[in-house]
Amino acid sequence: MNLSVEQACLTETDLDRIRHAADHVRDHDTDQVLAGLLPGLTADERADVVRHLGYDHTAVLVFPASLDGLHDDLRSAGLDPGPVTPSVVVRGRLARRYGAVLGDSPVGIVHVPVAGRTVEIFALPVPPGSPLEAVAADERAGGHESHHAFAVTAPGRVIPAGLRTLLTERGGAVPDGGGYNNHENVTVLYFRSADHRRFELRLPGRQEPLPDPTLALLGVMTGAWATQAVRTMAELGIADHLAARPALDTTTLATLTATDPDALRRLLRYLATLGLLTSSPDGTHHLTALGEPLRTHTEQSLHPLALLYGGPFYDSFAGLPYAVSTGKEAFAHRYGKHHFRYFAEHPELAGLFHRSMAASAEMFTPVPDLVDFSGARRVVDVGGGNGALLGRILRAHGHLAGVLLERPDALAAARSELTDLSGRCTFAEGDFTESVPSGGDVYLLSRVLHDWDDARCRTILHRCAEAMRPGAELLVVERLLPSETAAAWDLHMLCNVGGRERDEAHYARLLEEAGFKPTSCHALPLGAALLRAARN
């Protein structure tokens, strides 16, 4: 490639773009550039970031008639350019965007020092009348290669990893590839801001790159494969077999599960990539801590959830486009009936559903100690499923009596769950949209309101208010937006029952409209929260 310096070549348009970049480098500090790129960061967050990185350079792509004369034009503009060298990275990106039209055209790079920083100039030669004029027009309009860059000054890996997390989770930056530059011994990580402007983090030495966006997207799109692999592991009882006889080989496990050895080996290999088990060089397999909850008949087993998520709930999610288009639940569209009615008519699914609800009862663990029950005598659980929360409260506070209101199919499971409390717990068959048992000091609504739209929630809360005396307490257990867990469940509720997850303020409005005064909110395990309210 000929990168000699002989003749003038830059247009006034490109000179203006270079001058603008130089002015930006001269007039802005690190905090100002961050504020412009990532307005979601608070001033305090930016101050923390600035302690560990500095504004390094601004880059611009220009289109001289040739690379010859580039130095002279830059010097005439009052700049002091370094040598022009090939830019393999930018040329590769342009080739991916424009394909064969780029031909064998070189791309040069020259660094111009400005006020202790740098303007990084990329130059793609575009001779007059060349097909590359269309490329130049598109690049000038899109500014694809224009960016700001920050140099991370903190040594090691911990602080750079924290910076990456802060910029993406709080600042809204989107990773856009990157890699190690062995010429400069730096790792360059590319990002895009919310308004699609590019910026870079330059980390000293070789650092772990951010996930490739295409591979990451493929991982998201194949999540259904993981769901079905976990379901199959649960159906075959693989976790139980590996727990009972550690270090089983594939042939023995295939005999125990009545499966094809080769097909089972392929399933086990995939399950290992998911972290549910490990496979040793000697051909034996071992259950991991992540796979442990798929065992049956253990406390807080997630085995029922694996079957439910990989079964009817998995099928209903195929109707998600319908749910998003109409606002109606996909389950009823695919099965012909609402989720609760359909499950009630299919006892095997009703039993699986109640076991699945019990599987996530860990969220209830702190509740008996978070609330002062000393002044209460009667606790009413409204729509409490198998009574998991009510049972924990009654067992923790021996002076309490309880009432569980539920549908007939749910009460059968509850009677089995609460056999040790038969003298202190009564069961009421009914519909909480019509009436709720009166006379309680504390009322429970656990994972009920998220099953319904706002209108039905108001009805349920009004029925509770009608049954409660002034001062009586209502405990609501739900997942709260905007957490990632609640966001996923919100889509699940839309798809399967037509309900929704809500944020704390939304629940507060519903409670106040029904005659309650919200008093506090406590975090619970598994992404849940306890909302407390008093009857006015």
Side-chain angles (χ1 to χ4, degrees):
M1 182 190 346
N2 180 13
L3 295 176
S4 62
V5 179
E6 294 177 359
Q7 63 187 49
C9 55
L10 284 170
T11 66
E12 193 61 32
T13 297
D14 281 343
L15 281 171
D16 282 344
R17 295 170 70 233
I18 293 170
R19 293 188 189 102
H20 178 77
D23 290 342
H24 190 279
V25 166
R26 185 182 299 108
D27 298 338
H28 291 74
D29 61 20
T30 305
D31 182 79
Q32 291 170 321
V33 180
L34 279 172
L37 284 169
L38 304 175
L41 292 177
T42 66
D44 287 342
E45 288 169 338
R46 291 200 310 274
D48 282 341
V49 171
V50 169
R51 290 170 53 210
H52 304 297
L53 57 74
Y55 178 27
D56 183 78
H57 70 258
T58 285
V60 61
L61 173 62
V62 297
F63 308 94
S66 74
L67 293 177
D68 299 329
L70 187 57
H71 260 85
D72 287 347
D73 280 13
L74 294 175
R75 289 184 186 280
S76 296
L79 302 172
D80 182 22
V84 183
T85 58
S87 176
V88 177
V89 174
V90 173
R91 192 192 185 286
R93 284 201 295 259
L94 292 172
R96 286 193 292 273
R97 275 200 291 275
Y98 300 104
V101 69
L102 203 66
D104 59 357
S105 298
V107 175
I109 179 172
V110 57
H111 292 94
V112 176
V114 176
R117 301 189 180 95
T118 303
V119 174
E120 191 172 69
I121 301 171
F122 304 114
L124 170 66
V126 179
S130 164
L132 291 174
E133 288 183 340
V135 172
D138 185 67
E139 286 294 319
R140 286 191 180 107
H144 304 301
E145 296 303 325
S146 298
H147 66 263
H148 303 303
F150 303 90
V152 177
T153 56
R157 298 180 181 274
V158 175
I159 290 177
L163 285 172
R164 287 153 63 173
T165 300
L166 181 63
L167 294 178
T168 54
E169 294 188 0
R170 292 285 302 123
V174 178
D176 195 30
Y180 176 66
N181 183 330
N182 61 344
H183 297 293
E184 301 181 60
N185 191 29
V186 297
T187 298
V188 183
L189 303 179
Y190 308 128
F191 297 85
R192 288 193 179 276
S193 64
D195 58 358
H196 305 293
R197 287 181 292 168
R198 285 186 58 239
F199 69 94
E200 298 177 354
L201 282 190
R202 297 169 60 83
L203 289 74
R206 187 184 292 273
Q207 302 276 351
E208 288 297 320
L210 294 173
D212 178 86
T214 301
L215 289 177
L217 179 57
L218 285 173
V220 172
M221 291 193 294
T222 57
W225 302 353
T227 301
Q228 288 304 321
V230 173
R231 172 196 178 181
T232 304
M233 181 176 176
E235 287 188 351
L236 296 176
I238 290 174
D240 286 337
H241 288 303
L242 292 180
R245 299 172 59 182
L248 282 174
D249 62 81
T250 303
T251 302
T252 304
L253 190 55
T255 300
L256 292 170
T257 56
T259 56
D260 176 80
D262 180 63
L264 178 63
R265 183 177 295 106
R266 294 158 71 178
L267 171 66
L268 296 173
R269 182 168 55 205
Y270 181 50
L271 292 171
T273 70
L274 299 177
L276 299 172
L277 52 86
T278 59
S279 298
S280 300
D282 63 2
T284 59
H285 309 286
H286 313 262
L287 192 64
T288 64
L290 187 63
E292 181 76 17
L294 288 178
R295 295 175 58 192
T296 59
H297 309 299
T298 60
E299 186 177 5
Q300 297 168 354
S301 168
L302 299 184
H303 185 272
L305 282 172
L307 300 179
L308 189 65
Y309 291 170
F313 285 171
Y314 181 90
D315 183 59
S316 69
F317 250 90
L320 181 59
Y322 168 84
V324 173
S325 297
T326 65
K328 300 176 181 178
E329 68 269 25
F331 190 98
H333 179 65
R334 294 183 69 81
Y335 286 91
K337 296 176 182 176
H338 188 274
H339 165 278
F340 292 122
R341 182 181 169 192
Y342 184 87
F343 274 42
E345 294 176 0
H346 295 78
E348 73 287 355
L349 289 178
L352 177 62
F353 178 75
H354 293 307
R355 293 196 303 275
S356 298
M357 294 293 285
S360 54
E362 179 189 349
M363 66 175 61
F364 301 146
T365 304
V367 175
D369 297 320
L370 285 173
V371 178
D372 181 6
F373 290 95
S374 60
R377 292 294 176 268
R378 192 169 189 237
V379 178
V380 179
D381 193 349
V382 180
N386 69 347
L389 176 56
L390 179 61
R392 285 179 182 269
I393 293 172
L394 295 184
R395 293 183 186 105
H397 302 281
H399 68 286
L400 293 174
V403 180
L404 178 64
L405 173 69
E406 256 297 0
R407 302 181 310 276
D409 60 298
L411 289 180
R415 288 189 172 93
S416 174
E417 171 74 18
L418 304 176
T419 51
D420 61 313
L421 299 170
S422 58
R424 297 167 53 204
C425 185
T426 57
F427 303 92
E429 181 180 319
D431 181 347
F432 47 54
T433 65
E434 296 179 358
S435 66
V436 169
S438 60
D441 302 297
V442 177
Y443 282 71
L444 312 177
L445 275 175
S446 169
R447 298 180 294 182
V448 170
L449 298 179
H450 74 162
D451 288 332
W452 308 101
D453 61 20
D454 282 4
R456 186 62 64 91
C457 283
R458 292 187 185 94
T459 298
I460 296 168
L461 290 171
H462 277 296
R463 295 295 174 263
C464 290
E466 290 169 356
M468 297 170 65
R469 60 172 175 76
E473 187 167 22
L474 176 65
L475 307 181
V476 176
V477 176
E478 295 289 358
R479 291 182 173 89
L480 297 182
L481 293 169
S483 74
E484 289 184 14
T485 303
W489 274 88
D490 184 43
L491 205 58
H492 169 77
M493 304 313 295
L494 166 66
C495 208
N496 281 286
V497 295
R500 67 188 309 139
E501 304 293 353
R502 301 169 173 88
D503 60 23
E504 183 181 352
H506 194 156
Y507 278 117
R509 290 195 300 272
L510 293 173
L511 288 163
E512 290 168 352
E513 291 169 5
F516 292 94
K517 179 182 178 181
T519 57
S520 63
C521 178
H522 307 272
L524 298 177
L526 302 181
L530 173 67
L531 298 162
R532 300 176 63 179
R535 176 72 167 89
N536 290 329

